[in-house]
Coordinates of all heavy atoms in Angstrom, one line a residue:
G186 N 0.8 -1.2 0.0 CA 0.0 0.0 0.0 C 0.8 1.3 0.0 O 0.6 2.2 -0.7
I187 N 1.9 1.3 0.8 CA 2.8 2.4 0.9 C 3.6 2.6 -0.4 O 3.8 3.7 -0.9 CB 3.7 2.4 2.1 CG1 2.8 2.6 3.4 CG2 4.8 3.4 2.0 CD1 3.6 2.5 4.7
A188 N 3.9 1.4 -1.0 CA 4.7 1.5 -2.3 C 3.8 2.1 -3.4 O 4.2 2.9 -4.2 CB 5.1 0.1 -2.7
K189 N 2.5 1.8 -3.4 CA 1.6 2.4 -4.4 C 1.4 3.9 -4.1 O 1.3 4.7 -5.1 CB 0.2 1.7 -4.3 CG 0.2 0.3 -4.9 CD -1.2 -0.3 -5.0 CE -1.1 -1.7 -5.6 NZ -0.7 -1.7 -7.0
Q190 N 1.4 4.3 -2.9 CA 1.3 5.7 -2.6 C 2.5 6.5 -3.1 O 2.4 7.6 -3.5 CB 1.2 5.9 -1.1 CG -0.2 5.5 -0.5 CD -0.2 5.6 1.0 OE1 0.6 6.4 1.6 NE2 -1.0 4.9 1.7
A191 N 3.6 5.8 -3.2 CA 4.9 6.4 -3.6 C 5.0 6.3 -5.2 O 6.0 6.8 -5.7 CB 6.1 5.8 -3.0
G192 N 4.0 5.6 -5.8 CA 4.1 5.6 -7.3 C 4.6 4.3 -7.8 O 4.9 4.2 -9.1
F193 N 4.8 3.2 -7.0 CA 5.3 2.0 -7.5 C 4.2 0.9 -7.4 O 3.4 0.9 -6.5 CB 6.5 1.5 -6.6 CG 7.7 2.5 -6.6 CD1 7.9 3.3 -5.6 CD2 8.5 2.5 -7.7 CE1 8.9 4.2 -5.6 CE2 9.6 3.4 -7.7 CZ 9.8 4.3 -6.7
D194 N 4.2 0.0 -8.4 CA 3.2 -1.0 -8.5 C 3.4 -2.0 -7.3 O 2.4 -2.6 -6.8 CB 3.2 -1.8 -9.8 CG 2.8 -0.9 -11.0 OD1 2.0 0.0 -10.7 OD2 3.3 -1.1 -12.1
I195 N 4.6 -2.3 -7.0 CA 4.9 -3.2 -5.9 C 6.1 -2.6 -5.1 O 6.8 -1.7 -5.6 CB 5.3 -4.6 -6.4 CG1 6.6 -4.6 -7.2 CG2 4.2 -5.3 -7.1 CD1 7.1 -5.9 -7.6
P196 N 6.4 -3.1 -3.9 CA 7.5 -2.6 -3.1 C 8.8 -2.8 -3.9 O 9.0 -3.8 -4.6 CB 7.5 -3.4 -1.8 CG 6.0 -3.8 -1.7 CD 5.5 -4.0 -3.0
I197 N 9.7 -1.8 -3.8 CA 11.0 -1.9 -4.5 C 12.1 -2.3 -3.5 O 12.0 -2.2 -2.3 CB 11.4 -0.6 -5.1 CG1 11.5 0.5 -4.0 CG2 10.4 -0.2 -6.2 CD1 12.0 1.9 -4.5
L198 N 13.2 -2.9 -4.0 CA 14.3 -3.3 -3.2 C 15.1 -2.1 -2.7 O 15.2 -1.0 -3.4 CB 15.3 -4.2 -4.0 CG 16.4 -4.9 -3.3 CD1 15.9 -5.8 -2.3 CD2 17.3 -5.6 -4.3
H199 N 15.6 -2.2 -1.5 CA 16.5 -1.1 -1.0 C 17.6 -0.8 -1.9 O 18.3 -1.8 -2.4 CB 17.1 -1.5 0.4 CG 16.1 -1.9 1.4 ND1 15.4 -3.1 1.4 CD2 15.7 -1.3 2.6 CE1 14.6 -3.2 2.4 NE2 14.8 -2.1 3.2
G200 N 17.9 0.4 -2.2 CA 19.0 0.8 -3.0 C 20.4 0.3 -2.4 O 21.3 -0.2 -3.1
L201 N 20.5 0.4 -1.1 CA 21.7 -0.1 -0.5 C 21.8 -1.6 -0.5 O 23.0 -2.1 -0.3 CB 21.8 0.5 1.0 CG 22.1 2.0 1.1 CD1 22.1 2.4 2.5 CD2 23.4 2.3 0.4
C202 N 20.8 -2.3 -0.7 CA 20.9 -3.8 -0.8 C 21.5 -4.0 -2.2 O 22.4 -4.9 -2.3 CB 19.5 -4.4 -0.8 SG 19.6 -6.2 -0.9
S203 N 21.1 -3.3 -3.2 CA 21.7 -3.5 -4.6 C 23.2 -3.0 -4.5 O 24.1 -3.6 -5.1 CB 21.0 -2.6 -5.6 OG 19.7 -3.1 -5.8
Y204 N 23.5 -2.0 -3.7 CA 24.9 -1.5 -3.5 C 25.7 -2.7 -2.9 O 26.8 -3.0 -3.4 CB 24.8 -0.4 -2.5 CG 26.1 0.3 -2.1 CD1 26.9 1.0 -2.9 CD2 26.5 0.2 -0.7 CE1 28.1 1.6 -2.5 CE2 27.7 0.8 -0.3 CZ 28.4 1.5 -1.2 OH 29.6 2.1 -0.7
G205 N 25.2 -3.4 -1.9 CA 25.9 -4.5 -1.4 C 26.0 -5.7 -2.3 O 27.1 -6.3 -2.3
M206 N 25.0 -5.9 -3.1 CA 25.1 -7.0 -4.1 C 26.2 -6.7 -5.2 O 26.9 -7.6 -5.6 CB 23.7 -7.2 -4.8 CG 22.7 -7.8 -3.9 SD 21.0 -7.8 -4.6 CE 21.3 -9.1 -5.9
A207 N 26.3 -5.4 -5.5 CA 27.4 -5.0 -6.4 C 28.8 -5.3 -5.8 O 29.7 -5.8 -6.5 CB 27.3 -3.6 -6.8
C208 N 28.9 -5.0 -4.5 CA 30.1 -5.2 -3.8 C 30.4 -6.7 -3.8 O 31.6 -7.2 -4.0 CB 30.0 -4.7 -2.4 SG 31.5 -4.9 -1.4
H209 N 29.4 -7.5 -3.5 CA 29.5 -9.0 -3.5 C 30.1 -9.4 -4.9 O 31.0 -10.3 -4.9 CB 28.1 -9.6 -3.3 CG 28.1 -11.1 -3.3 ND1 26.9 -11.7 -3.1 CD2 29.0 -12.0 -3.4 CE1 27.1 -13.0 -3.1 NE2 28.4 -13.2 -3.3
A210 N 29.5 -8.9 -6.0 CA 30.0 -9.3 -7.3 C 31.4 -8.9 -7.6 O 32.2 -9.7 -8.2 CB 29.1 -8.6 -8.4
V211 N 31.8 -7.7 -7.1 CA 33.2 -7.3 -7.3 C 34.2 -8.2 -6.5 O 35.2 -8.7 -7.0 CB 33.4 -5.8 -7.0 CG1 34.9 -5.5 -7.0 CG2 32.6 -5.0 -8.0
L212 N 33.8 -8.5 -5.3 CA 34.6 -9.4 -4.4 C 34.8 -10.7 -5.1 O 35.9 -11.3 -5.2 CB 34.0 -9.5 -3.0 CG 34.1 -8.4 -2.1 CD1 33.2 -8.6 -0.9 CD2 35.5 -8.1 -1.6
K213 N 33.7 -11.3 -5.6 CA 33.6 -12.6 -6.1 C 34.4 -12.7 -7.4 O 35.2 -13.6 -7.7 CB 32.2 -13.0 -6.4 CG 32.0 -14.3 -7.1 CD 30.5 -14.6 -7.3 CE 30.3 -15.9 -8.0 NZ 28.8 -16.2 -8.2
T214 N 34.2 -11.7 -8.3 CA 34.7 -11.8 -9.7 C 36.1 -11.2 -9.8 O 37.0 -11.8 -10.6 CB 33.8 -11.0 -10.6 OG1 32.4 -11.5 -10.4 CG2 34.2 -11.3 -12.1
M215 N 36.5 -10.2 -9.1 CA 37.7 -9.4 -9.4 C 38.7 -9.6 -8.2 O 39.9 -9.3 -8.4 CB 37.4 -7.9 -9.6 CG 36.3 -7.7 -10.6 SD 36.8 -8.2 -12.3 CE 37.8 -6.8 -12.8
L216 N 38.3 -9.9 -7.0 CA 39.2 -9.9 -5.9 C 39.3 -11.2 -5.2 O 39.9 -11.3 -4.1 CB 38.7 -8.8 -4.9 CG 38.6 -7.4 -5.4 CD1 38.2 -6.4 -4.3 CD2 40.0 -6.9 -5.9
D217 N 38.8 -12.3 -5.7 CA 38.9 -13.6 -5.2 C 38.4 -13.6 -3.7 O 39.0 -14.3 -2.8 CB 40.3 -14.2 -5.3 CG 40.4 -15.6 -5.0 OD1 39.4 -16.4 -5.3 OD2 41.5 -16.1 -4.5
Y218 N 37.4 -12.8 -3.4 CA 36.8 -12.7 -2.1 C 37.7 -12.1 -1.0 O 37.4 -12.2 0.2 CB 36.3 -14.1 -1.6 CG 35.0 -14.5 -2.3 CD1 35.0 -15.4 -3.4 CD2 33.7 -14.1 -1.9 CE1 33.9 -15.9 -4.0 CE2 32.6 -14.5 -2.5 CZ 32.7 -15.4 -3.6 OH 31.5 -15.8 -4.2
D219 N 38.7 -11.4 -1.4 CA 39.6 -10.8 -0.5 C 39.2 -9.4 -0.2 O 39.6 -8.4 -0.9 CB 41.1 -10.8 -1.0 CG 42.1 -10.3 0.0 OD1 41.6 -9.9 1.2 OD2 43.3 -10.2 -0.3
Q220 N 38.4 -9.2 0.9 CA 37.8 -7.9 1.2 C 38.9 -6.9 1.7 O 38.7 -5.7 1.6 CB 36.7 -8.0 2.2 CG 37.1 -7.9 3.7 CD 37.9 -9.2 4.2 OE1 38.2 -10.1 3.5 NE2 38.1 -9.2 5.5
T221 N 40.0 -7.4 2.1 CA 41.1 -6.5 2.6 C 41.7 -5.6 1.5 O 42.3 -4.6 1.8 CB 42.2 -7.3 3.3 OG1 42.9 -8.1 2.4 CG2 41.6 -8.2 4.4
R222 N 41.5 -6.0 0.3 CA 42.0 -5.2 -0.9 C 41.2 -4.1 -1.2 O 41.6 -3.1 -1.9 CB 42.2 -6.1 -2.1 CG 43.2 -7.2 -1.9 CD 43.5 -7.9 -3.3 NE 44.0 -7.0 -4.3 CZ 43.9 -7.2 -5.6 NH1 43.4 -8.3 -6.0 NH2 44.4 -6.3 -6.4
M223 N 39.9 -4.0 -0.7 CA 39.0 -3.0 -1.1 C 39.2 -1.8 -0.2 O 39.1 -1.8 1.0 CB 37.5 -3.5 -1.0 CG 36.5 -2.6 -1.7 SD 34.9 -3.4 -1.7 CE 35.1 -4.7 -3.0
K224 N 39.4 -0.6 -0.9 CA 39.7 0.6 -0.2 C 38.6 1.7 -0.3 O 38.5 2.6 0.4 CB 41.0 1.2 -0.6 CG 42.2 0.3 -0.6 CD 42.4 -0.3 0.8 CE 43.6 -1.2 0.9 NZ 43.8 -1.8 2.2
G225 N 37.8 1.5 -1.4 CA 36.7 2.5 -1.6 C 35.6 1.9 -2.5 O 35.9 1.0 -3.3
F226 N 34.4 2.3 -2.3 CA 33.3 1.8 -3.1 C 32.2 2.8 -3.3 O 31.5 3.1 -2.4 CB 32.7 0.5 -2.5 CG 32.0 -0.4 -3.4 CD1 32.8 -1.3 -4.2 CD2 30.6 -0.5 -3.5 CE1 32.1 -2.1 -5.1 CE2 30.0 -1.3 -4.3 CZ 30.7 -2.2 -5.2
D227 N 32.1 3.4 -4.5 CA 31.3 4.6 -4.8 C 30.3 4.2 -5.9 O 30.7 3.6 -6.9 CB 32.1 5.8 -5.2 CG 33.1 6.2 -4.1 OD1 33.0 5.7 -3.0 OD2 34.0 6.9 -4.5
V228 N 29.0 4.7 -5.8 CA 28.1 4.5 -6.8 C 27.1 5.6 -7.0 O 27.0 6.5 -6.1 CB 27.2 3.2 -6.6 CG1 28.0 1.9 -6.4 CG2 26.3 3.4 -5.4

């Protein structure tokens, strides 16, 4: 109901959840899951 009041047909995913999923993808694909190499993450 609140999503419809805001103009969306259904509730939308948190933007910061997508932000975290992007970080997950970078860790997995480019850094071999080594989080200690990551110094910054901007979107």
Side-chain angles (χ1 to χ4, degrees):
I187 290 179
K189 286 186 181 298
Q190 291 175 21
F193 300 103
D194 292 334
I195 62 173
I197 60 175
L198 187 64
H199 304 73
L201 287 178
C202 183
S203 295
Y204 177 70
M206 292 174 69
C208 182
H209 180 182
V211 172
L212 286 170
K213 174 181 179 179
T214 309
M215 309 296 279
L216 300 180
D217 194 29
Y218 284 98
D219 183 0
Q220 91 286 7
T221 65
R222 295 187 61 198
M223 194 172 287
K224 307 302 180 185
F226 203 78
D227 305 342
V228 303

